[in-house]
Amino acid sequence: MALTTGIVGLPNVGKSTLFNAITQAGAESANYPFCTIDPNVGIVEVPDHRLDKLTEMVEPHKTVPTAFEFTDIAGIVEGASKGEGLGNKFLSHIRQVDAISHVVRCFQDDNITHVSGSVDPIRDIQVINLELILADLETVEKRIGRVEKMARQKDKEAMAEFEVLDKLRTAFEEEMPARSVELTKEQMKIAKGLHLLTMKPVLYVANVSEDELLDVSGNEYVQKVREFAAGEGSEVIVVCAKIESEIAELDGEEREEFLNELGIEESGLDQLIKAAYKLLGLETYFTAGKQEVRAWTIHSGTKAPQAAGVIHTDFERGFIRAEVVAYDDLIAAGSMSAAKDNGKVRLEGKEYIVQDGDIIHFRFNV
Ligand SMILES: Nc1nc2c(ncn2[C@@H]2O[C@H](COP(=O)(O)OP(=O)(O)O)[C@@H](O)[C@H]2O)c(=O)[nH]1
Ligand SMILES: [Mg+2]
């Protein structure tokens, strides 16, 4: 399961700088055979302090965090959906991602040209969003062309679909994204089938200057982005792409020291990764043995056999049961055997919904 977040934004807002920080911080790709090999794709490990704690407790030979991908998607400029700039190649790239990180320029730097001549994050956001909306409008209109006639002839399915398409079209004509449209569960299913760009969840990444990172209260651009995002129910995180690329070059203690010097607790990149993980509705469970302590990614609400399937399809096919202990219970007990003695290790079956932080041992038979 390779989950991908696409980095979008106007030219010169700091996408590649941020992306380079991502690849610098880079995960060891050998651990993630399912990930794409592509110069525009960076694999990141998801920071998780629980994994460190489990490693301390179990002392395994190897510790493997869970990971997902960021893709640097260049080429969106005003008119891009109509073929300006690199044209609409970016559309197919965005279609493939699960979520969008939208980088917005909130830094002043006269040496760095802004495509529209001035820093104005809301205008920038709207330029990008409009290109995506126009692309979606085209998708919806094409589809309407197919189902409208059938809907008029009172075909039940076509009528239901037409209703959804019409709602979406109205929203797009008002320059609103698909994710802002209220749909019932059934309608959502229909809408999902259209693979719309503006249905994907968005995280706004406000790129601020070096000297503002610690205290952004004076940065009115960031305030505006926050207000805008709140209006559509999206999250904002603040980074300084330039500093991120410096942080990413360091590791271990050096990195800690540099963060301390800067007076920040967590790098913007780590915040971005965590926010994107949450945005995608993802959770983590762990396996913990002497060979390996490892984090695995699932969608929240996943049942035990499917969670096992993330490790190997055989685990899902031959699933018998899961031995589960909650993270807090295991840490409180101090060891797996103590947790067992305390009755904290449960036997769960096929219908068990895996909880974030569960440590699981799967029993299977193939
Ligand atoms: N001062 C400053 N410059 C930055 C920052 N982030 C990016 N830049 C500069 O802006 C220019 C464009 O950045 P780039 O990442 O290539 O933008 P992209 O076109 O969105 O990929 C480069 O010269 C970067 O060094 C930042 O946080 N502060
Ligand atoms: Mg770039």
Side-chain angles (χ1 to χ4, degrees), residues 67-354:
F68 65 87
E69 303 177 343
F70 278 98
T71 309
D72 186 5
I73 301 177
I76 313 184
V77 291
E78 199 165 345
S81 64
K82 297 282 168 278
E84 293 287 325
L86 294 176
N88 46 22
K89 221 177 172 178
F90 71 90
L91 295 176
S92 60
H93 290 134
I94 301 181
R95 272 192 220 294
Q96 288 162 25
V97 303
D98 304 290
I100 293 172
S101 296
H102 186 155
V103 182
V104 188
R105 177 159 166 183
C106 293
F107 66 91
Q108 283 281 10
D109 187 334
D110 294 337
N111 295 319
I112 295 158
T113 323
H114 190 292
V115 278
S116 309
S118 63
V119 177
D120 182 346
I122 304 305
R123 175 202 58 206
D124 291 2
I125 288 175
Q126 283 168 339
V127 167
I128 298 275
N129 284 354
L130 185 60
E131 292 309 318
L132 304 185
I133 286 168
L134 290 174
D136 280 349
L137 179 61
E138 202 178 312
T139 304
V140 162
E141 280 178 338
K142 259 192 208 149
R143 190 70 204 155
I144 285 178
R146 292 216 189 111
V147 299
E148 193 167 17
K149 204 169 149 205
M150 300 240 302
R152 282 228 197 84
Q153 291 163 355
K154 306 278 178 235
D155 176 276
K156 274 251 164 66
E157 255 176 59
M159 281 167 73
E161 184 172 356
F162 183 77
E163 198 184 333
V164 175
L165 292 166
D166 194 45
K167 265 190 170 187
L168 290 165
R169 178 170 58 182
T170 306
F172 298 154
E173 283 168 355
E174 288 165 4
E175 301 188 6
M176 296 295 289
R179 60 182 169 275
S180 72
V181 179
E182 271 184 49
L183 298 171
T184 64
K185 224 175 169 182
E186 282 307 304
Q187 291 180 324
M188 188 54 97
K189 240 189 217 159
I190 296 171
K192 283 244 162 85
L194 297 164
H195 303 289
L196 298 171
L197 305 174
T198 63
M199 191 62 100
K200 296 177 195 271
V202 171
L203 183 71
Y204 291 102
V205 182
N207 189 14
V208 301
S209 66
E210 299 78 315
D211 38 319
E212 282 183 312
L213 182 61
L214 257 194
D215 180 13
V216 289
S217 58
N219 186 319
E220 56 175 319
Y221 302 131
V222 172
Q223 294 313 321
K224 284 187 182 150
V225 174
R226 287 204 169 122
E227 280 162 28
F228 180 90
E232 61 166 48
S234 300
E235 296 264 329
V236 180
I237 69 154
V238 176
V239 304
C240 170
K242 219 169 185 179
I243 290 184
E244 288 312 315
S245 62
E246 286 165 28
I247 296 174
E249 279 174 29
L250 309 170
D251 43 30
E253 264 171 50
E254 269 187 336
R255 194 160 177 261
E256 287 289 306
E257 261 172 44
F258 186 56
L259 288 176
N260 277 335
E261 262 171 47
L262 291 170
I264 50 182
E265 264 174 41
E266 193 176 34
S267 72
L269 187 53
D270 281 357
Q271 290 176 46
L272 173 65
I273 295 167
K274 284 186 188 167
Y277 201 70
K278 206 175 120 199
L279 183 70
L280 287 165
L282 302 178
E283 290 181 352
T284 302
Y285 77 86
F286 304 95
T287 50
K290 267 287 166 212
Q291 275 306 318
E292 183 180 89
V293 166
R294 184 159 187 155
W296 303 91
T297 299
I298 49 168
H299 285 280
S300 99
T302 300
K303 290 181 179 173
Q306 286 71 45
V310 173
I311 301 176
H312 199 288
T313 45
D314 282 352
F315 280 36
E316 179 173 353
R317 226 166 10 103
F319 179 88
I320 300 170
R321 62 177 179 271
E323 293 172 20
V324 184
V325 54
Y327 173 80
D328 286 338
D329 288 341
L330 177 58
I331 294 299
S335 73
M336 192 56 90
S337 57
K340 271 185 187 149
D341 293 344
N342 299 343
K344 293 292 185 190
V345 180
R346 293 166 272 131
L347 284 182
E348 302 283 2
K350 271 191 222 160
E351 291 304 313
Y352 176 67
I353 292 173
V354 174

Side-chain angles (χ1 to χ4, degrees), residues 15-16 72 74:
K15 296 184 299 298
S16 296
D72 186 5

Side-chain angles (χ1 to χ4, degrees), residues 10-17 19 72-75:
L10 287 176
N12 270 1
V13 297
K15 296 184 299 298
S16 296
T17 309
F19 179 76
D72 186 5
I73 301 177

